[in-house]
Amino acid sequence: MAINQHFPFQLHCKQIIAALKKAKASDDPVLFLHKSKVRTPLFMAESILRISRTFIHDKEVEEWYSLIKKLEDYLGEIDNYITLLADFSKLKAVKSIQLEYISKKLDKSIDKLNKKLSKHDFYIKDLEEMNKDFKINFNDKRIIAKLHEEIKTELKEAADFFARFPTGFDDMELQVHELRRKLRWVSIYAAAFDGLIVLKEAKEKYKWEKKFITPAIVKNPFNKLPLKKGLTHHIAFNKKAFYALSFVIADLGKIKDKGLGIYSLGKSIRKTTGEKEHEAEKLALKQLNVNYTTNTLLKEAHVLMTSYFGTFKIYENLA
């Protein structure tokens, strides 16, 4: 009996190609891509190439991964500036000169990507080549076993990374944001492989459930994974541990956004007034009119991660 083949990469790659073709025909390609939310399939495709690099040592795969990552990074930078501008524009205390500074950074990023897209004919041929040549059948027992082992390795590496900061964090970007990225990839794999990874009901009652499994997390459509029937094997994630992972990623995201918001607003003050970093942050906090600081956010993140990695070791239950 023939074994069903499973090519999840092609699913995401085709979506990216379709978006780029539409962007090419639009008046403002980059803003079209931003509005079309093409970062989602880019993340999915990037995640498959990212983890495949651990067992497929191929120059072309590395090049494809680099290209997809670059496109996602460019759009991520643009999304960030658009969000900052929208958020800061609502604050009366923020000076127009600061908004202009961020607006110019946004314009520069958009112009840079538009030029890149134009120069490379929107990377359509490159992506069509990827779509044709990256024919890894993920309905393969050996490949699935390698994926499973790599996911467990990445979770352990995230725990080891956290263990480097036993007394607390002191950098939002290099520590909190980086740790969130490491955990987020595991969550993205769950969706990217299109039904290869499934959620398994957990009968055990955990001490951490009340804190880490909220109604909002359970209802979140991104936490409902499809089951791909006809596959010889699946990777099973503990459903409760997966919900807890999603909770941590979401909470760290809120902390990270607040922290980088302080930094970005402070930077706009430094660049437009010449204020020193410490004074610029104080002014930024005043403009934001919030009851937190970078230090309190770093402490909040460390307490959360201590519970996840240390006290309860939730990551060990996931895969």
Side-chain angles (χ1 to χ4, degrees), residues 41-59:
L42 279 169
F43 267 130
M44 300 292 179
E46 181 184 349
S47 75
I48 292 174
L49 293 171
R50 181 182 186 273
I51 198 167
S52 297
R53 291 158 64 241
T54 63
F55 57 87
I56 301 171
H57 305 292
D58 184 279
K59 186 182 176 185

Side-chain angles (χ1 to χ4, degrees), residues 150-181:
E150 179 56 27
I151 288 167
K152 288 192 277 190
T153 297
E154 289 190 23
L155 285 165
K156 177 65 167 56
E157 286 173 351
D160 290 343
F161 181 84
F162 174 69
R164 289 163 48 188
F165 311 101
T167 59
F169 295 128
D170 58 27
D171 192 291
M172 190 63 70
E173 174 63 34
L174 299 178
Q175 296 166 12
V176 177
H177 197 182
E178 182 59 26
L179 183 56
R180 182 177 181 269
R181 286 190 191 102

Side-chain angles (χ1 to χ4, degrees), residues 83-275:
T83 301
L84 290 174
L85 204 54
D87 290 347
F88 296 158
S89 295
K90 297 171 189 172
L91 303 173
K92 291 181 180 178
V94 176
K95 311 288 186 188
S96 59
I97 194 170
Q98 293 171 244
L99 296 175
E100 286 170 19
Y101 169 78
I102 296 168
S103 184
K104 284 177 182 176
K105 298 286 279 186
L106 171 60
D107 290 344
K108 189 176 178 182
S109 294
I110 290 173
D111 185 56
K112 183 179 179 181
L113 182 52
N114 270 326
K115 284 177 179 174
K116 287 273 183 186
L117 291 170
S118 179
K119 181 181 177 183
H120 297 279
D121 197 23
F122 285 71
Y123 299 98
I124 291 167
K125 285 184 180 178
D126 298 278
L127 282 150
E128 287 176 338
E129 182 184 334
M130 281 184 224
N131 189 56
K132 180 170 67 75
D133 292 346
F134 188 74
K135 284 290 185 181
I136 307 301
N137 175 23
F138 284 97
N139 189 21
D140 182 302
K141 183 180 178 181
R142 292 166 302 171
I143 290 177
I144 293 169
K146 286 176 181 177
L147 287 175
H148 199 173
E149 282 306 308
E150 179 56 27
I151 288 167
K152 288 192 277 190
T153 297
E154 289 190 23
L155 285 165
K156 177 65 167 56
E157 286 173 351
D160 290 343
F161 181 84
F162 174 69
R164 289 163 48 188
F165 311 101
T167 59
F169 295 128
D170 58 27
D171 192 291
M172 190 63 70
E173 174 63 34
L174 299 178
Q175 296 166 12
V176 177
H177 197 182
E178 182 59 26
L179 183 56
R180 182 177 181 269
R181 286 190 191 102
K182 291 178 183 296
L183 292 173
R184 186 191 57 184
W185 281 121
V186 176
S187 181
I188 292 173
Y189 297 147
F193 281 95
D194 189 33
L196 176 63
I197 297 173
V198 296
L199 298 183
K200 182 181 177 183
E201 295 291 344
K203 293 179 181 178
E204 187 174 345
K205 191 78 175 172
Y206 299 105
K207 293 179 180 178
W208 43 263
E209 286 184 39
K210 190 174 180 181
K211 177 180 179 181
F212 287 90
I213 304 178
T214 63
I217 287 294
V218 175
K219 290 176 185 174
N220 189 329
F222 291 107
N223 292 333
K224 300 186 191 315
L225 302 184
L227 168 64
K228 184 79 172 182
K229 294 181 179 179
L231 299 184
T232 55
H233 294 80
H234 290 89
I235 295 171
F237 278 2
N238 178 311
K239 184 186 261 189
K240 290 180 179 178
F242 183 71
Y243 285 158
L245 174 68
S246 297
F247 174 86
V248 164
I249 292 167
D251 245 35
L252 277 185
K254 292 170 189 171
I255 294 167
K256 176 265 299 181
D257 287 345
K258 288 176 182 177
L260 296 183
I262 294 169
Y263 172 80
S264 298
L265 196 56
K267 186 176 180 180
S268 74
I269 293 168
R270 284 191 285 119
K271 293 295 184 179
T272 56
T273 66
E275 287 282 2

